[in-house]
């Protein structure tokens, strides 16, 4: 029951972060690039937040360690929701503490596994 409530809260955080990002992108002016190099640098800057991939790997590792051979498709969903939910929560709070995010992903994964 507790993990279901936590899943809903994390999903709402992801939804809110997505809506805020969409709103921000729709109100922003279109960027004008003088060269292909500037456009490429801007695109690479969008993907520099590697925290999401690290957090997903941590959540999947937790699932693999504790469930071992009993991994199901739902476990991948839980790992993805834990990592993206924590990332969205920190995005909404405008913080970038990767260590705290990793600790929170471990805690959320632990709750998903045992509660």
């Amino acid at each position: 029951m507790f993990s279901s409530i936590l899943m809903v809260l994390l999903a709402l955080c992801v939804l809110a972060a997505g809506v805020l990002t969409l709103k921000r992108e729709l109100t922003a002016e279109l960027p004008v690039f003088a060269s292909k190099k500037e456009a490429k640098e801007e695109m690479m800057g969008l993907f520099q937040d590697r925290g999401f991939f690290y957090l997903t790997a941590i959540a999947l590792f937790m699932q693999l360690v504790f469930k071992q051979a009993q991994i199901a498709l739902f476990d991948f969903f839980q790992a993805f929701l834990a990592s993206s939910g924590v990332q969205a929560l920190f995005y909404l709070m405008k913080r970038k503490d990767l260590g705290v995010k990793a600790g929170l992903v471990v805690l959320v994964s632990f709750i998903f596994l045992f509660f």
Side-chain angles (χ1 to χ4, degrees):
M1 179 70 180
F2 182 67
S3 65
S4 299
I5 293 170
L6 186 60
M7 280 186 202
V8 169
L9 291 175
L10 289 175
L12 288 175
C13 286
V14 171
L15 184 64
V19 167
L20 285 176
T21 302
L22 179 64
K23 181 181 171 187
R24 188 175 299 140
E25 289 296 320
L26 290 176
T27 59
E29 292 183 26
L30 292 175
V32 178
F33 301 110
S35 67
K36 286 185 179 182
K37 185 178 179 182
E38 283 184 26
K40 184 178 179 182
E41 288 174 2
E42 179 70 22
M43 183 62 82
M44 293 305 291
L46 292 174
F47 296 110
Q48 286 301 320
D49 186 21
R50 294 187 184 107
F52 176 73
F53 299 109
Y54 294 143
L55 296 177
T56 304
I58 290 169
L60 283 173
F61 180 74
M62 291 282 295
Q63 294 285 343
L64 288 173
V65 166
F66 288 105
K67 292 249 180 152
Q68 295 173 355
Q70 302 165 352
I71 294 290
L73 190 59
F74 186 69
D75 298 325
F76 286 100
F77 170 74
Q78 283 183 332
F80 182 74
L81 184 61
S83 62
S84 61
V86 169
Q87 187 81 355
L89 183 65
F90 276 73
Y91 174 77
L92 293 173
M93 293 187 318
K94 295 181 172 88
R95 299 201 48 194
K96 294 186 179 189
D97 305 323
L98 187 60
V100 177
K101 287 181 193 177
L104 196 55
V105 165
V106 168
L107 178 68
V108 168
S109 296
F110 184 78
I111 290 171
F112 284 166
L113 285 166
F114 298 110
F115 293 102

